[in-house]
Amino acid sequence: MTTRRHFINQVSALAGASLLPTFKGLSSNDLQFISSFSPEKSALLMASDEDYWYQIQQAYTVSPQIINLNNGGVSPAPTVVQNAVERYGKFANEAPSYFMWRILDQGREPLRENLAKFSGVSPEEIAINRNATEALDTVILGLPLTRGDEIVMSKYDYPNMLHAWRQRELREGLKINYVNIDLPLEDNDLIVQKYVEQMTPRTKVVHITHIVNWNGQILPAKRIADEAHKRGIEVVIDGAHSFAHLEYKIPDLGGDYFGTSLHKWLSAPIGSGMLWVKKEKISKVFPLIPNDKPNSDNIRKFENLGTRPFMIEQAIGQALNFQLAIGNARKEARLHFLKNYWAKEASKMPKVKFNTPIKPEYSGALAHFSIEGMEAGKVEAELFAKYKIHTSPVKWEKLDGVRVTPHVYTSLQDLDRLLDGIKYLATKS
């Protein structure tokens, strides 16, 4: 088994240092060696190798006083990413209009290429922006639709996406057909059926949230998309919670449009996101922020933001290197392991209801639980007040409880404390 001493020796040799207890000080390129670390072990076996993940945990500067289990909102960035933002920020401020536009701006194309390679698509289909809302609103508000056209989506989709489609419904006379599903649900055939039932000859777009933010349910995006395409319907996919969380390439999901935030599971700087549009679809989508060639087939028309925080944008590259160093398969396996570690124990407790599927094909790291007799806000407030555990209260549709989202830096001790808190509240309620 790999040991911490062996790991430290490798890092020290690589960095030319006599002693380096963690890789906080390493550059993102130095982290590449982790990708071949302990190659004889599968991702599944590595998921429970606490020596390995201890080193990953040291790359983050998270608070030792607060246990952050709301990474589904915004994830902290590892030190290499924080340092990059600071470094680029200082550089830009030496002469902003020169260093931002003439120097840092030139880094967007290599970054675009790297994101595209990671995503399995062409660089000419990737736009860099600020979050999933901006990416998806670009498509939702930019698609050419007319009065009477229909949209299929679920009320479990993210609120900002619901707001955007409802605004078009209100202003332009579109019609939204809502998919009626109760979550959690371990039946992909039924989920697909429910989406198909809402498709009509007037349906123009199906909106799919790959991982539902409320409880972590993974929807069978590819199967739904295939059914839509059989009927000549376009597909928009919200990948805010699946990108850099699950192992896949964007084309695997079968969509025509895809948007995500990078400051969630990729651990990129806060305020970074990405849009993918299939090349042949670009020309028909109007940009969210107008430019002189709105009908262009150039993906860059969706980046017309004016002055932007170049330091945030360029530091995405360090986050991507960090992700590649760990490896998608390893990371997904670890996140499943962390979810199952606490969820299986919590599910056995009296008065505790687990509202997320356990099986890996139906959920990843995000999970939702409720306690009989306690509202979501009360559970969240007491977990923080007594145990200093930060979670997210979720009261949406038929869900009324707390969302828990660990990340790669989350320790088993953190999750043991969560279990202590859940047990205490369940006994108290």
Side-chain angles (χ1 to χ4, degrees):
M1 176 177 288
T2 303
T3 64
R4 290 182 189 148
R5 184 186 300 274
H6 178 62
F7 183 93
I8 291 167
N9 288 340
Q10 287 194 58
V11 178
S12 298
L14 179 70
S18 57
L19 180 63
L20 188 62
T22 72
F23 56 71
K24 278 186 178 180
L26 298 183
S27 71
S28 55
N29 287 334
D30 293 330
L31 292 177
Q32 296 296 333
F33 87 99
I34 305 171
S35 62
S36 59
F37 187 63
S38 194
E40 73 279 4
K41 298 181 71 172
S42 69
L44 192 59
L45 288 174
M46 285 293 291
S48 59
D49 187 334
E50 295 309 309
D51 284 338
Y52 174 82
W53 294 102
Y54 173 81
Q55 304 303 327
I56 303 297
Q57 291 157 10
Q58 304 315 299
Y60 289 81
T61 58
V62 295
S63 169
Q65 283 78 39
I66 296 175
I67 297 176
N68 180 25
L69 293 178
N70 187 23
N71 294 283
V74 182
S75 172
T79 305
V80 289
V81 176
Q82 296 178 46
N83 290 345
V85 173
E86 183 178 2
R87 182 171 67 252
Y88 291 135
K90 288 180 177 179
F91 181 62
N93 277 286
E94 291 184 12
S97 63
Y98 176 83
F99 286 113
M100 286 196 307
W101 293 108
R102 300 192 186 186
I103 307 298
L104 291 180
D105 194 41
Q106 304 310 304
R108 185 175 298 111
E109 294 311 313
L111 175 59
R112 191 190 316 278
E113 291 177 10
N114 290 333
L115 285 169
K117 183 178 180 180
F118 178 77
S119 305
V121 299
S122 165
E124 295 304 313
E125 298 174 319
I126 291 290
I128 303 162
N129 52 32
R130 293 171 289 188
N131 50 53
T133 294
E134 181 181 312
L136 293 165
D137 276 358
T138 295
V139 177
I140 293 170
L141 301 179
L143 280 172
L145 299 171
T146 59
R147 182 174 294 276
D149 287 346
E150 295 179 1
I151 315 301
V152 171
M153 65 188 309
S154 165
K155 289 183 179 179
Y156 283 105
D157 289 323
Y158 192 68
N160 283 352
M161 283 49 267
L162 287 163
H163 298 334
W165 281 120
R166 285 167 177 168
Q167 179 173 295
R168 290 203 70 173
E169 182 180 44
L170 180 65
R171 295 181 63 177
E172 302 169 49
L174 305 184
K175 181 176 183 293
I176 300 174
N177 295 329
Y178 292 104
V179 177
N180 183 24
I181 53 176
D182 290 331
L183 301 180
L185 185 58
E186 293 188 359
D187 187 341
N188 280 339
D189 290 340
L190 180 58
I191 293 173
V192 174
Q193 177 188 327
K194 291 291 187 180
Y195 272 83
V196 171
E197 286 173 356
Q198 297 304 320
M199 300 179 194
T200 78
R202 302 212 64 169
T203 303
K204 301 300 181 183
V205 180
V206 172
H207 184 105
I208 306 168
T209 300
H210 190 199
I211 293 184
V212 176
N213 75 290
W214 306 114
N215 79 326
Q217 175 91 40
I218 299 175
L219 298 184
K222 178 64 163 61
R223 291 184 57 187
I224 298 170
D226 287 347
E227 291 295 332
H229 287 148
K230 287 178 187 177
R231 295 160 174 80
I233 302 168
E234 292 191 293
V235 177
V236 177
I237 296 180
D238 180 344
H241 279 288
S242 65
F243 189 79
H245 178 171
L246 306 180
E247 185 181 21
Y248 68 89
K249 301 298 184 184
I250 290 177
D252 296 341
L253 304 183
D256 301 291
Y257 312 92
F258 175 95
T260 190
S261 292
L262 301 178
H263 52 237
K264 293 183 186 291
W265 301 100
L266 189 65
S267 287
I270 298 168
S272 56
M274 187 182 81
L275 167 68
W276 171 78
V277 179
K278 194 176 287 187
K279 181 62 178 176
E280 61 268 28
K281 306 280 185 179
I282 295 173
S283 61
K284 76 176 198 174
V285 180
F286 280 86
L288 191 64
I289 299 176
N291 58 47
D292 62 334
K293 296 178 180 178
N295 296 120
S296 166
D297 67 352
N298 190 326
I299 194 71
R300 294 158 190 80
K301 73 180 183 181
F302 301 124
E303 298 174 341
N304 190 41
L305 298 177
T307 303
R308 57 173 64 82
F310 291 88
M311 60 291 297
I312 288 176
E313 185 175 275
Q314 285 306 298
I316 295 170
Q318 274 74 17
L320 186 58
N321 280 344
F322 191 82
Q323 172 81 15
L324 292 170
I326 297 174
N328 290 5
R330 246 179 226 173
K331 183 173 179 179
E332 180 180 344
R334 177 62 174 182
L335 292 175
H336 278 300
F337 174 80
L338 292 174
K339 187 274 302 294
N340 289 347
Y341 180 86
W342 74 269
K344 288 182 176 180
E345 291 302 314
S347 300
K348 300 174 187 176
M349 297 178 187
K351 297 187 178 181
V352 175
K353 182 182 178 183
F354 195 66
N355 302 309
T356 300
I358 292 288
K359 295 178 182 178
E361 61 266 40
Y362 295 108
S363 69
L366 280 78
H368 182 282
F369 77 93
S370 54
I371 296 177
E372 183 182 333
M374 294 187 72
E375 292 189 350
K378 182 70 170 176
V379 176
E380 184 270 340
E382 294 213 20
L383 278 175
F384 189 80
K386 184 171 177 62
Y387 293 89
K388 292 298 179 284
I389 297 173
H390 174 51
T391 56
S392 178
V394 169
K395 192 171 183 178
W396 189 266
E397 292 297 302
K398 296 182 180 180
L399 297 171
D400 186 359
V402 166
R403 187 186 71 180
V404 174
T405 48
H407 209 308
V408 292
Y409 66 84
T410 304
S411 70
L412 298 189
Q413 290 79 9
D414 293 339
L415 298 178
D416 287 337
R417 188 164 177 81
L418 171 66
L419 288 169
D420 288 342
I422 296 173
K423 184 177 181 180
Y424 168 78
L425 293 180
T427 304
K428 177 183 174 183
S429 68

